């Protein structure tokens, strides 16, 4: 696999990890965004989930070494709204309370979001490490070529 391809694979991982961090931060920011239960005009915020998929090259042939060369990084397949029901809280004095006194809050769990944030950060760091290692290999190859 050419070194230049490794740069693209790492870059796609960095982009995907950053989006994952952005979505997680958005979920945390909307933790207390209330809505009216069963009201399509004023629904509560729904937690977002990022779905990743492999990005394959257009041709899944063999490269010069005879190894399969279909890998091309990662892509975001979709950003979906979590189908879980909102959390209901009994707050009859809240302006968004329904006739029974319930207010709908997002289905966001701060613990899960913090775990997602740590995982996305680690994925980002791993891709930076691969990018730096690839850059060092390319520099060494250039030094050998000068040789």
């Amino acid at each position: 696999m050419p070194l230049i391809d490794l740069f693209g694979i790492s870059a796609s991982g960095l982009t995907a990890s950053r989006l994952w961090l952005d979505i997680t931060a958005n979920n945390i920011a909307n933790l207390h965004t209330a809505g009216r239960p069963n009201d399509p005009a004023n629904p509560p915020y729904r937690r977002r989930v990022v779905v990743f998929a492999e990005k394959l090259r257009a041709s899944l042939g063999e490269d010069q070494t005879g190894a399969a060369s279909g890998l091309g990084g990662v892509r975001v397949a979709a950003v979906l709204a979590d189908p879980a029901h909102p959390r209901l809280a009994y707050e009859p004095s809240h302006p968004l309370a329904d006739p029974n006194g319930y207010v709908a809050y997002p289905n966001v769990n701060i613990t899960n979001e913090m775990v997602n944030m740590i995982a996305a950060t680690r994925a980002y760091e791993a891709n930076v490490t691969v990018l730096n290692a690839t850059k060092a290999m390319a520099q060494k190859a250039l030094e050998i070529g000068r040789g």
Side-chain angles (χ1 to χ4, degrees):
M1 174 178 287
L3 285 178
I4 198 74
D5 290 347
L6 295 177
F7 287 118
I9 291 170
S10 293
S12 71
L14 288 169
T15 303
S17 297
R18 179 165 181 248
L19 179 66
W20 190 9
L21 277 169
D22 288 345
I23 295 295
T24 302
N26 194 28
N27 288 340
I28 292 171
N30 286 293
L31 180 66
H32 298 293
T33 305
R36 187 165 284 145
N38 302 319
D39 183 6
N42 195 5
Y45 174 81
R46 297 197 71 97
R47 178 178 178 262
R48 305 285 190 259
V49 181
V50 182
V51 179
F52 298 110
E54 281 183 88
K55 185 172 22 171
L56 299 175
R57 289 189 191 158
S59 63
L60 294 176
E62 293 185 356
D63 60 11
Q64 296 84 353
T65 63
S69 61
L71 299 178
V74 65
R75 66 179 176 84
V76 176
V79 178
L80 304 174
D82 190 352
H85 296 289
R87 179 176 46 93
L88 296 179
Y90 184 70
E91 297 177 13
S93 61
H94 196 284
L96 292 174
D98 69 358
N100 297 326
Y102 286 98
V103 178
Y105 285 100
N107 53 350
V108 176
N109 182 335
I110 189 68
T111 306
N112 291 344
E113 298 305 322
M114 293 306 293
V115 169
N116 282 340
M117 190 171 284
I118 291 169
T121 302
R122 297 281 164 84
Y124 192 90
E125 290 170 354
N127 281 294
V128 168
T129 301
V130 169
L131 195 63
N132 288 334
T134 305
K135 183 174 79 171
M137 285 191 295
Q139 288 174 336
K140 287 292 182 185
L142 288 173
E143 287 177 16
I144 291 171
R146 273 190 257 162

